[in-house]
Amino acid sequence: MSKRWKYGSRWTLILLFALFMPAGLTQGISDQPGPVPSGQQGLPSEEEGKYVPPIQVTFVRETGEDLQRMIEQLPGESMADNRWTRLYEEELGIQIRYDWIATGDVYNQKLGVALASGRFPDIVKVNPYQLRQLSNAGWIEDLTEVYRTQASPLTKKILEAEGRGAFDAATIDGKLMAIPESSSSIETAQYLWIRSDWLEKMDLQPPTTMEDVLKISKAFTERDPDGNGKQDTYGMAMTSYLWDPVMGVSGFMAGYGAYPNIWIKDKQGNLTYGGIQPEAREALELLQTLYLNGQIDPEFAYKNGSKEYRLIQDGKIGMLYGEQWTPFMLQTTRDTDPDAEWQAYPLVAESGRGIKVPLRSNTGQYFAVRKGFAYPEVIVKLMNLHLDKNWGEQAEYETYYNDDSRAVWMLSPVTPFPGTKNMDAYSDIRDAQKRGSFSSLENEALAIHKRMVAYDSEGVKSGWGWKQTYGPSGAFSIADAYGKNGQFLYDEYTGGITETMVDRQIILRDLQLEAYMNIILGSPIEEFDQFVDDWYKLGGEEITSEVNAWFRTNGGRDHRPFASSN
């Protein structure tokens, strides 16, 4: 029997805000109360780049289980008072204050209410749709001159490393209305992570085709790999959000030439959305088969990543798709079962098809400054210091980025980073290994190398994840091969939010996710065809036209950030 599934949007309040807004967006909310200015006790002077007396700057903050768990391991530190907040005050005279802190859906709901009412903090992190709404309302500052005059050379180099796409998305009517928080397309590359001890036990070889992946999934489900005499294991992990970076399905679908989250070129050289292509239909049909055959957790559609991970931790799942940081999540499975061994493998394709590894344009968050805030330059100053302390000439990487395998960079309210930093660290370590000398390693590469050595020579458990990511057969060795083989497939659209996207993109996203999920759970495959028709009718046709108008003007991606070194 077909199960019906409905996706609860993370941005429900923002969506409702957009749906019931008149066509003239600015006019439609001009009568709403504007942002409430925070009181400023005169303008402090700047002495050597430091505000004297210190100024207070308000944010709101999302937290989660991983962040809270880390803070518990840091004596004398909290979200509101930690090494980063102290550094910003000591060096810049900027006191970080949080109006409120919340988790997950609660955070998103509270943020939606704050943005819709115009009552938000001095600096707020928003997605592209929220940015467009705030700009049209006249509630945020123009940061064009702030960025031009205040951003350090290092900041500009890093934020613009993947081209101007992120800045184009933040530029509205010729004005830079927010500072993009840099991210990296390379980091979205997917790998296939498999219990290699199960492969050995089942006398199976690593996969070279999708047919092999299906064979392994079947064996892991039916042949009792955990040896408890019960058929209680599953071939592949999945979560309720199909595009999760770990335990999502984009890596699986790529094996059938389906790229459901990016814009690709069609045979005529125009841009078309990957999520509506016939290859996606084929991949969904195979996922449905896996589900109906019991090779996927029957309750996955109701589980987020944390809940689904409990099955992995309990030794009930043997395979998943995930990004390079996956082994740090898998680490605890080795506490439950010391014999558990995971290995990254490259994505594979069905027989007769070459594999392409899709990369999303990964800058989706922007820092906007409340209209009327007296110090709009603060956001750039915070980014300058964050980048300098982690990757500048006098970097203190093991104090401010990763302290004894703890991701202390997350304590900062702003977290930009060099897009190729992880690949660069891998390359430095690999090259040092070839030379037989690690004396030239520094900062991030040196810290990672020390952790891998501690694992190999002293059995320090935390080093396992680092080796699975940066070691000779780790994830980045595979990314290196992806690059050398020309297998990366970049999202061809890097422009900003088009006019139709403002009101329709979230609707189309949820429409796609609901249709995909229903098919996986057993709905007739013809539901995909109906989804495609609905996608075009509900705004997809207009968005496709707007995307191609941008493409004809800009000529597609302006930069390829990855070049594998020899």
Side-chain angles (χ1 to χ4, degrees), residues 12-25 27-29 32 133 502-504 507:
T12 301
L13 290 171
I14 293 297
L15 176 56
L16 292 174
F17 177 52
L19 286 177
F20 293 103
M21 187 178 297
L25 184 61
Q27 179 182 357
I29 57 179
Q32 297 285 341
Q133 291 166 345
V502 172
D503 292 332
R504 296 296 166 181
I507 297 171

Side-chain angles (χ1 to χ4, degrees), residues 268-319:
Q268 289 72 43
N270 298 316
L271 298 193
T272 186
Y273 183 55
I276 60 173
Q277 305 307 312
E279 290 83 359
R281 190 182 196 271
E282 177 189 1
L284 287 171
E285 201 163 17
L286 286 161
L287 285 169
Q288 182 186 86
T289 299
L290 292 181
Y291 176 78
L292 296 178
N293 287 343
Q295 297 178 35
I296 297 172
D297 171 19
E299 298 179 351
F300 87 92
Y302 309 103
K303 292 182 178 179
N304 60 22
S306 296
K307 293 179 180 178
E308 184 70 9
Y309 175 65
R310 291 169 191 163
L311 283 176
I312 297 175
Q313 192 171 28
D314 291 341
K316 299 304 179 184
I317 293 179
M319 183 164 51

Side-chain angles (χ1 to χ4, degrees), residues 313-371:
Q313 192 171 28
D314 291 341
K316 299 304 179 184
I317 293 179
M319 183 164 51
L320 66 143
Y321 287 87
E323 294 178 359
Q324 53 87 10
W325 52 271
T326 300
F328 296 101
M329 182 201 73
L330 296 174
Q331 185 93 39
T332 57
T333 65
R334 295 167 55 78
D335 296 333
T336 307
D337 180 1
D339 294 327
E341 192 62 59
W342 293 86
Q343 178 63 48
Y345 297 96
L347 298 191
V348 296
E350 62 180 333
S351 297
R353 183 189 294 275
I355 188 65
K356 288 290 184 181
V357 181
L359 301 178
R360 301 188 312 276
S361 294
N362 204 29
T363 299
Q365 299 293 321
Y366 301 82
F367 284 103
V369 176
R370 177 180 53 76
K371 188 75 171 180

